[in-house]
Amino acid sequence: MRKLRGMLSAVLGAAVVANALTFAVAQDKPYAGVVIDVLTFTGPQIAEPLQRRAPDFAELTGATINVVTVPFGDLYQTILTDQATGTNSYEAFVFAPQWMVDYIVPGYLEDLTDYVANDPDLQWDDVAQFFREFSSTYQGRIFTIPLDGDFHMVYFRSDVLEAAGLQPPTTWDEYLAVAEAVHGTDMNGDGEPDFGSCIAKARGEQGYWWIHSIASPFLQTQGTSQGVFFDTETFDPLVNNAGFIRALEIYKATTAFGPPNELNIGVGDTRSLFSAGRCALTLDWGDIGPLSVDPEISVVKDKVGAVITPGSTEVLDRATGELVACDDMTCPFAINGVNHAPFAAFGGWSGGVSAAADPLVKEAAYAFFSYMAQPAQANVDVTIGRTGFNPYRLSQFGDLTPWIEGGFSEAGAREYLGAIEASLASPNFVLDLRIPQNQRYQQVVLDEVLSRFLAGELTAEEAAEEIFMRWNELSDDIGRQAQFEAYLGTIGAQ
Amino acid sequence: MMKRFFATSSPFAPSPAWRIFSYALLIFWAVVVLFPLYWLVITSFKLPIDVSQGPKYLPFVDFQPSLHAWEYILFDQGVTVTRPYTNTIVVGIWSALVSLVIGSLASYGLTRFTYRPKPALVGVFLALAIGALAAVIAGVPPLVAVAAAIVLFFLIAQTIGRRFKGTLTNNDIAFWLISQRMLPPVAVVIPIYLVYQQLGLLNTHAALVITYTTINLPLVIWFMRDYFASIPFELEESAFIDGASRYQVFYRIILPLSTPGLIATFLIVLVFSWNEYILALFLTGADTQTMPMLVVAQNATRGPQWWNISVLVVLMIAPITIMALFLERYIAKGILVGAVKG
Amino acid sequence: MLVNAQDPSKAKALPAPQPTLLMRLQADNVARMVFLLPSVLLVLFLAVFPLLASLYLSVSRIQLVRGGFNIEFIGLRNFERLLSGSEQRRFLGRFTEFNLEHWLVLGAVVLVMVLMLINYVRSPRFKWAGIPVRLVAIAFGAAITYLLLGTLTGRGLPGTLVVTMIFVFAGVTLQYLLGLGLAMLLTQELPGKRFFRIVFLLPMMITPVGIAFLFRMMTDTLQGPLAPLWALAGLRNFSWVETAEGARLAVVIGDTWQWTPFMFIILLAALEGVSRETIEAALVDGANRAQLFFHIILPEILPVSMTLILIRIIESFKIIDMPQVLTRGGPGTATEPVSLHAYNIWRAGDWGGSAALSYLLLIVVTFVALVFMNSVRRRVLEWV
């Protein structure tokens, strides 16, 4: 009911704004007759807000928006195939900015820098710095408009931790300790023992992202431009070192406190387990927040807390490959002696415009994404649990009202947003891998090796060694120097 | 009427004990088949929370059934669901019909004529095909390359072709056609995609109809060849004596006699194209997506939407099952494999 | 009419052209082409040409560049990587150290094949042209034996190729036996047989991805319908998908559930084609149930069974939907068949590698099918 009201008010609000704007631009609709096919994945998360707001946008500008969807797992390849073969069936895409390099290098995506510069309504400065300067740009040019803020956080059951007299974890060792302490207790009152930690470790899903959430605080200490994937001097993969191996061990250790089929569950399963009150801790994107207050699926409303992903008191010395203790030199951004490095896995759904479209269509497509990202629309959409949109604008943290209307308690909203703000404010944010063909590095090699490691086929050292070897082979194959330059370009290193 | 062995009237009627044993096994397997389907149906009436909070078996007793998933799929989704549904029906029926027609023609040909293609000529053909392909890759316009290859082939066939020794038989041709089912879809899908793109067929129903026709052809030929072979020649001979042409005989005598076979084969190939996923994934666009893709798409970043998946699968099974119910008696008599040895 | 048509003695072999009238009709050259050509052209256009194009992709590296893509010839590098390079572990598996027993088994297999070759040389069917094909077959057979021995025993771990073979072997065997059993039961005159016949057909009607999702629910030991049974058995913290064997078993069970109907319906048709007179004659001679089955019924349905098994073997080698949804190929690579492997690397943009992998799969399927056709099937039919 609350959710319905939230959505209703969102629609009404949008309509009011739309009417006001229509009045402002009078009867002159700049894009009358323009049709834009927007490609994204099937499901309500992204398609729903796009479809919901399309009529208002049409009213405003005359452009018709067709939202076209393919299954999530095939979106990357569909965009690539469509553009590479010159089919060009779509004018705009909503996708993960992680993939953008593969579309930018062959020239599929329109450079949006000038559009953004001439668009005061977008309120670009209100977008959190990380999304503005890293997520949406490549080599200093803007190619995507963020619609969603994606990065990992740790969620915990405040009631369970309180009953056990535990504090939310600030390091991964504490995470393991908390998971162990509460594992096997009944957390939802059904008499069944529940689980200390639920992490979606299935192959072919999101499994390969968690490892860098765990490894990042060991690997990156000097800010976003240091990066966690490759050495910035030799371009060797940053995997066969004490930090990454430690992270592998932690990752595997969490399995002992998870559900029995943890190796075969995706985030959808962990989210439903967590909402059903069966997990004390989980590592996830921002989605858990709004989901936990959705009465249709959640029994843990107001019992959920969130914190920035745990950090580490020991960090990698890249010169020696060994771990050293945190101090002012080694961890300049440490909080209470703990180095945090929140990981912007996936990067947040963003809109990009096909370079092959007609100029007027490109303009209209940009205008649509700008419209979606403007605070009047975006600040409502991020509070709706049904959408997959998570906060990415500073103004989304200021006003709690839409969150409370969305079903949060005031304390709950403050805590959820606090964790996001703490992450976003971190100068040590970690950017996802964005070099050309990154899917082959992560989705193929990393995913497979991690899965074999979790299944016990490989030791941590063997896994690290194999990732090292195969990533190097891929780089050599694709062109090591070009890949190296692309890597430095994406993380903004010199 | 078909006669069956182990009939009650025969001297070896099943004893009561054997009868009970048979029923026990049959019922066991029926439960194995039906229980997952029951689960599918009740899941379509569950709220997400009824799924995530452990197993619930009986509507109204364990949980309050809800129409939310049905409403979501049938009303809220609108064209997102109706379009793939229509596509599935159109593509399924057309491809089943076309493969039935083409496959029946080939099956009839293979049972009534003697073909003697020469392997050497086949080799020449393949060499020319590779040559044409290389030429296209090298930049020769596709039409020119193909035309040149065809002309060359006929020149060779008509001149030195007659000297080649050794021939293939009808069985070799049939095996070659049937063995096309060996191709892993991933192996051929990229070239097929490019060909369709060149022909402007991407995102049309025709693309899927043609592809499914090809992959179903082997099954049609396998079934219909045996069926036609079981029809005695005498029937045709009398028609020929009356002055009928080949085509008239095929259309007026063979096809009517084969109705059960045609219906059974139609149903089986319809099921294959109705349910196909991998090729559809590659070859469809926004307007031509089929239902299996929609089913898979329900597993996105929120995890599998079991209730929606169940509704969609029920919607997919329903028409096929109803057809199967009506056509079941044809299936029983329509499959005559083994009338021919091999 | 149909009863007549089914008399197997009338259609023992493919009809040879009969004299007189039919000979005259052989002349209608146009008609014979009209009947056959559409199929041949369609298959050439959509199977043979794409296959050739794929062969080209498999020796190339495709780079996306401005304005299209760049195809660079890289020789056999994609194949080399799969067979001996960095993808070897995933495709072929991890090999165990060979000890004496391994070598003995391998030697025995090779010896049997060589003896078969000698047997062939001494047989009246012998032709010199048949030798190279058989030598290739022996090499291939030895390689597959080596692969199976190395990855399935000791410290070995199967790669996607062997996993596919496990699925094919286990799945087809189970499906055939179950299908045959059910078909035998339903050839009896039992009230309600039409009901069972329809019910048994149902799984075939469901889209494979739907079945895969259904079995994901069935095998879920936490929220699935069988959860109480697991709890009762004290397996609360057991999960199918935690171990390689369990995950493979789950995939095979799902696959069997789906494809048993196909075996069932065709074997039922074959069994009903067995003439009643033959059976009654055998019974008059005093045959018991087992003799009836092994001496009368089995020989009658073996030819169909051979084709049916061949078709299912071919189909099973392409298995992808079930493991993709049910286990996503995990844990590790325990349930990843070659098709899924190819699909996964295709999806990440490696078209050349994917084409090479598909080609290797095609070679293995062709080999297995040919051996089945020319060796197993021929012997079985001769025995009949």
Side-chain angles (χ1 to χ4, degrees):
Chain A
M1 214 40 230
R2 276 242 184 84
K3 205 182 74 182
L4 197 69
R5 207 185 309 146
M7 284 178 63
L8 204 64
S9 64
V11 174
L12 281 178
V16 169
V17 173
N19 281 335
L21 282 172
T22 319
F23 184 72
V25 295
Q27 296 309 310
D28 182 28
K29 293 184 179 174
Y31 307 123
V34 173
V35 178
I36 306 165
D37 288 308
V38 183
L39 181 71
T40 188
F41 74 95
T42 321
Q45 296 83 7
I46 305 303
E48 187 273 332
L50 295 179
Q51 267 155 348
R52 174 159 46 80
R53 299 213 179 267
D56 301 334
F57 183 71
E59 179 73 17
L60 206 60
T61 63
T64 313
I65 306 288
N66 280 334
V67 179
V68 180
T69 58
V70 293
F72 172 66
D74 299 296
L75 183 57
Y76 165 81
Q77 184 62 33
T78 305
I79 299 176
L80 204 60
T81 318
D82 183 68
Q83 293 280 314
T85 57
T87 314
N88 298 330
S89 329
Y90 312 101
E91 285 79 37
F93 317 96
V94 178
F95 60 97
Q98 191 190 4
W99 307 334
M100 67 157 66
V101 181
D102 284 346
Y103 306 147
I104 293 170
V105 173
Y108 306 153
L109 284 186
E110 178 78 354
D111 183 342
L112 300 178
T113 316
D114 297 336
Y115 295 76
V116 171
N118 298 319
D119 183 7
D121 292 339
L122 182 60
Q123 300 189 26
W124 191 240
D125 290 340
D126 182 40
V127 174
Q129 187 200 10
F130 171 79
F131 293 102
R132 228 177 333 129
E133 294 184 358
F134 292 101
S135 190
S136 60
T137 63
Y138 177 70
Q139 293 180 342
R141 309 294 294 176
I142 300 170
F143 285 91
T144 59
I145 303 300
L147 303 172
D148 168 34
D150 259 355
F151 46 86
H152 287 161
M153 289 188 286
V154 160
Y155 294 85
F156 59 92
R157 282 282 299 282
S158 44
D159 55 332
V160 172
L161 265 62
E162 201 170 307
L166 296 164
Q167 289 297 313
T170 58
T171 66
W172 283 105
D173 290 328
E174 287 178 28
Y175 182 96
L176 287 176
V178 171
E180 184 170 14
V182 297
H183 183 64
T185 59
D186 179 15
M187 302 175 196
N188 57 359
D190 64 355
E192 303 261 331
D194 294 311
F195 315 112
S197 154
C198 301
I199 297 179
K201 291 176 179 151
R203 263 197 77 182
E205 301 232 347
Q206 303 82 8
Y208 54 89
W209 274 307
W210 314 126
I211 186 62
H212 277 101
S213 251
I214 301 174
S216 292
F218 295 99
L219 302 179
Q220 179 179 299
T221 55
Q222 310 294 323
T224 304
S225 302
Q226 198 186 13
V228 296
F229 294 95
F230 294 94
D231 189 289
T232 46
E233 274 157 27
T234 61
F235 198 54
D236 275 333
L238 271 180
V239 290
N240 54 355
N241 56 58
F244 192 80
I245 288 170
R246 178 87 188 89
L248 282 173
E249 282 158 359
I250 292 168
Y251 188 41
K252 191 167 185 173
T254 61
T255 313
F257 315 120
N261 58 345
E262 199 180 30
L263 297 192
N264 192 35
I265 58 179
V267 290
D269 304 283
T270 55
R271 283 169 190 172
S272 83
L273 282 170
F274 192 83
S275 311
R278 301 217 58 185
C279 314
L281 294 168
T282 187
L283 178 58
D284 206 324
W285 281 271
D287 305 59
I288 292 256
L291 282 177
S292 71
V293 297
D294 184 339
E296 257 187 51
I297 48 178
S298 172
V299 299
V300 294
K301 180 166 148 48
D302 295 337
K303 295 175 187 166
V304 177
V307 284
I308 185 171
T309 44
S312 167
T313 52
E314 286 183 304
V315 295
L316 177 71
D317 177 353
R318 294 195 179 189
T320 62
E322 296 304 323
L323 291 175
V324 295
C326 257
D327 57 35
D328 290 349
M329 273 288 285
T330 52
C331 312
F333 303 120
I335 302 164
N336 302 328
V338 177
N339 181 47
H340 288 278
F343 180 37
F346 196 67
W349 293 98
S350 303
V353 177
S354 165
D358 294 333
L360 187 67
V361 177
K362 286 197 262 202
E363 220 176 278
Y366 168 79
F368 179 59
F369 289 134
S370 165
Y371 175 73
M372 291 299 299
Q374 286 163 20
Q377 284 70 246
N379 292 8
V380 177
D381 287 343
V382 292
T383 66
I384 304 175
R386 195 178 181 81
T387 76
F389 290 170
N390 299 316
Y392 59 94
R393 280 179 173 275
L394 301 178
S395 59
Q396 287 159 350
F397 303 102
D399 183 10
L400 293 187
T401 327
W403 297 97
I404 292 165
E405 277 171 6
F408 277 93
S409 68
E410 198 179 324
R414 191 160 286 143
E415 180 152 28
Y416 170 68
L417 294 175
I420 295 181
E421 237 181 331
S423 306
L424 275 183
S426 170
N428 201 27
F429 221 88
V430 175
L431 192 72
D432 208 342
L433 184 63
R434 303 212 312 196
I435 55 178
Q437 308 203 29
N438 56 61
Q439 300 268 305
R440 290 174 70 181
Y441 289 80
Q442 288 181 308
Q443 207 184 60
V444 175
V445 174
L446 185 60
D447 188 46
E448 179 211 327
V449 176
L450 281 179
S451 164
R452 278 160 54 198
F453 165 68
L454 289 175
E457 289 179 30
L458 300 170
T459 65
E461 286 77 14
E462 283 168 349
E465 185 54 41
E466 178 146 356
I467 297 168
F468 183 83
M469 181 200 66
R470 287 173 63 183
W471 277 13
N472 264 337
E473 187 189 52
L474 271 176
S475 299
D476 292 341
D477 219 31
I478 299 165
R480 191 175 175 99
Q481 192 54 36
Q483 292 292 80
F484 190 15
E485 279 159 23
Y487 180 67
L488 295 180
T490 55
I491 61 173
Q494 301 316 312
Chain B
M1 264 308 291
M2 292 191 47
K3 296 191 174 179
R4 284 139 186 153
F5 62 94
F6 294 147
T8 27
S9 56
S10 72
F12 46 94
S15 63
W18 181 256
R19 205 173 256 261
I20 290 169
F21 176 66
S22 300
Y23 270 116
L25 290 177
L26 289 172
I27 289 169
F28 169 76
W29 190 257
V31 169
V32 169
V33 168
L34 288 177
F35 180 72
L37 293 175
Y38 167 76
W39 192 256
L40 186 77
V41 173
I42 62 165
T43 303
S44 75
F45 294 105
K46 283 180 181 175
L47 286 169
I49 205 156
D50 294 321
V51 174
S52 65
Q53 285 196 315
K56 306 209 169 164
Y57 301 91
L58 297 170
F60 299 107
V61 181
D62 278 351
F63 67 94
Q64 201 54 37
S66 151
L67 286 172
H68 80 109
W70 287 89
E71 278 169 14
Y72 175 74
I73 295 291
L74 293 181
F75 301 111
D76 300 357
Q77 288 293 78
V79 72
T80 319
V81 170
T82 50
R83 193 164 48 197
Y85 205 53
T86 329
N87 290 337
T88 305
I89 294 172
V90 170
V91 168
I93 291 182
W94 270 109
S95 66
L97 280 179
V98 175
S99 57
L100 202 58
V101 170
I102 296 181
S104 298
L105 286 174
S107 311
Y108 181 80
L110 287 170
T111 51
R112 296 298 192 272
F113 299 109
T114 316
Y115 297 92
R116 291 278 175 264
K118 297 178 175 167
L121 270 187
V122 176
V124 168
F125 185 85
L126 281 184
L128 284 173
I130 295 174
L133 195 74
V136 170
I137 290 165
V140 178
L143 269 179
V144 175
V146 171
I150 292 175
V151 169
L152 264 178
F153 176 72
F154 278 105
L155 276 178
I156 296 174
Q158 293 304 319
T159 53
I160 51 175
R162 296 184 188 281
R163 300 186 184 189
F164 291 141
K165 290 202 181 112
T167 54
L168 298 170
T169 63
N170 282 18
N171 279 334
D172 294 323
I173 300 173
F175 176 70
W176 176 69
L177 287 172
I178 292 175
S179 70
Q180 294 313 313
R181 252 192 116 81
M182 271 193 255
L183 291 189
V186 192
V188 288
V189 79
I190 297 165
I192 290 182
Y193 180 95
L194 292 173
V195 168
Y196 285 165
Q197 191 223 356
Q198 290 297 318
L199 299 176
L201 284 177
L202 279 183
N203 206 8
T204 63
H205 288 139
L208 277 189
V209 171
I210 296 172
T211 319
Y212 288 167
T213 299
T214 316
I215 62 168
N216 278 330
L217 207 53
L219 281 181
V220 177
I221 293 176
W222 180 38
F223 287 133
M224 293 318 293
R225 198 168 68 112
D226 283 349
Y227 207 99
F228 290 150
S230 72
I231 297 176
F233 300 114
E234 291 77 15
L235 295 170
E236 285 160 78
E237 283 192 29
S238 50
F240 287 131
I241 291 167
D242 294 344
S245 76
R246 233 343 139 179
Y247 311 107
Q248 284 170 327
V249 166
F250 180 68
Y251 187 72
R252 298 247 169 82
I253 297 183
I254 300 292
L255 285 188
L257 277 178
S258 316
T259 314
L262 291 169
I263 290 178
T265 311
F266 174 79
L267 197 64
I268 287 176
V269 295
L270 174 67
V271 165
F272 275 100
S273 26
W274 187 270
N275 292 331
E276 206 282 333
Y277 170 63
I278 290 290
L279 286 166
L281 185 63
F282 291 111
L283 300 178
T284 59
D287 302 331
T288 47
Q289 282 182 354
T290 53
M291 287 294 275
M293 300 183 64
L294 196 61
V295 173
V296 173
Q298 301 306 313
N299 180 20
T301 53
R302 288 285 154 76
Q305 309 287 302
W306 297 115
W307 36 96
N308 295 341
I309 291 173
S310 304
V311 172
L312 289 171
V313 174
V314 170
L315 285 177
M316 278 188 76
I317 307 172
I320 295 268
T321 312
I322 292 168
M323 270 176 92
L325 279 179
F326 280 107
L327 301 177
E328 192 269 342
R329 62 205 175 89
Y330 292 106
I331 305 177
K333 329 185 242 194
I335 300 173
L336 277 193
V337 286
V340 184
K341 297 281 182 200
Chain C
M1 200 68 72
L2 276 170
V3 175
N4 189 13
Q6 274 172 19
D7 183 353
S9 62
K10 276 248 156 68
K12 233 356 188 230
L14 271 185
Q18 300 188 349
T20 65
L21 196 63
L22 277 177
M23 282 297 253
R24 181 171 63 76
L25 288 164
Q26 282 288 317
D28 49 1
N29 268 322
V30 178
R32 44 191 268 151
M33 284 304 146
V34 168
F35 280 107
L36 189 61
L37 266 189
S39 292
V40 171
L41 288 181
L42 195 62
V43 167
L44 278 179
F45 178 65
L46 275 171
V48 177
F49 289 143
L51 203 58
L52 293 172
S54 246
L55 185 63
Y56 181 65
L57 283 185
S58 72
V59 291
S60 312
R61 172 173 18 200
I62 291 98
Q63 297 265 33
L64 296 169
V65 293
R66 202 165 277 276
F69 41 87
N70 197 355
I71 302 183
E72 182 193 345
F73 179 75
I74 53 166
L76 295 178
R77 202 164 143 53
N78 285 326
F79 292 96
E80 184 194 323
R81 183 176 306 175
L82 285 163
L83 294 174
S84 61
S86 61
E87 289 268 320
Q88 185 205 37
R89 164 59 192 83
R90 187 169 180 187
F91 177 59
L92 294 178
R94 186 175 78 197
F95 288 84
T96 188
E97 288 285 308
F98 265 43
N99 58 26
L100 185 65
E101 287 157 40
H102 288 107
W103 291 116
L104 282 179
V105 174
L106 184 61
V109 171
V110 173
L111 189 69
V112 168
M113 291 192 294
V114 170
L115 285 179
M116 282 164 67
L117 181 69
I118 294 172
N119 200 15
Y120 167 72
V121 171
R122 296 168 60 180
S123 78
R125 295 183 295 118
F126 174 73
K127 267 187 256 160
W128 279 108
I131 291 287
V133 180
R134 281 171 173 78
L135 285 177
V136 169
I138 288 180
F140 217 99
I144 287 186
T145 315
Y146 180 84
L147 177 68
L148 292 174
L149 277 176
T151 56
L152 290 177
T153 60
R155 279 194 71 250
L157 280 172
T160 51
L161 182 59
V162 177
V163 166
T164 313
M165 290 178 173
I166 294 174
F167 287 157
V168 171
F169 183 76
V172 174
T173 311
L174 266 178
Q175 289 152 28
Y176 180 75
L177 292 178
L178 280 170
L180 183 61
L182 294 172
M184 298 277 293
L185 287 174
L186 278 191
T187 45
Q188 306 175 81
E189 278 305 340
L190 292 172
K193 63 186 283 184
R194 184 151 178 266
F195 165 79
F196 286 115
R197 200 207 294 263
I198 293 173
V199 166
F200 292 173
L201 270 188
L202 284 177
M204 213 178 108
M205 313 284 174
I206 308 175
T207 178
V209 289
I211 294 183
F213 276 116
L214 194 51
F215 270 79
R216 213 162 121 190
M217 290 197 262
M218 291 292 131
T219 52
D220 185 341
T221 45
L222 283 178
Q223 299 165 3
L226 304 179
L229 282 182
W230 295 113
L232 210 64
L235 293 170
R236 185 183 298 283
N237 277 326
F238 164 88
S239 171
W240 290 87
V241 291
E242 209 73 339
T243 63
E245 291 76 19
R248 285 187 201 124
L249 187 62
V251 171
V252 169
I253 290 177
D255 194 51
T256 301
W257 190 82
Q258 179 180 16
W259 290 111
T260 299
F262 187 66
M263 295 280 198
F264 160 77
I265 187 73
I266 287 167
L267 287 170
L268 187 63
L271 283 173
E272 289 185 333
V274 178
S275 85
R276 185 175 164 180
E277 287 74 21
T278 326
I279 290 168
E280 279 176 348
L283 284 169
V284 170
D285 291 346
N288 63 25
R289 238 176 240 285
Q291 285 169 330
L292 190 66
F293 178 75
F294 284 107
H295 296 290
I296 307 291
I297 297 173
L298 194 60
E300 288 280 334
I301 61 166
L302 265 181
V304 186
S305 302
M306 287 296 123
T307 314
L308 185 59
I309 290 173
L310 179 67
I311 293 243
R312 279 302 304 149
I313 287 179
I314 289 172
E315 297 272 307
S316 294
F317 264 105
K318 297 190 290 186
I319 183 170
I320 176 166
D321 319 42
M322 184 66 71
Q324 187 194 1
V325 174
L326 192 54
T327 61
R328 293 90 148 182
T333 50
T335 56
E336 189 178 47
V338 179
S339 288
L340 184 56
H341 183 181
Y343 172 74
N344 279 336
I345 62 179
W346 180 88
R347 204 172 62 162
D350 184 5
W351 292 0
S354 173
L357 193 52
S358 306
Y359 249 89
L360 290 174
L361 176 65
L362 185 63
I363 291 170
V364 174
V365 186
T366 311
F367 171 75
V368 171
L370 286 178
V371 165
F372 187 85
M373 283 281 292
N374 294 325
S375 195
V376 181
R377 184 164 161 279
R378 184 175 59 75
R379 283 192 174 76
V380 168
L381 294 189
E382 275 169 11
W383 174 73
V384 170

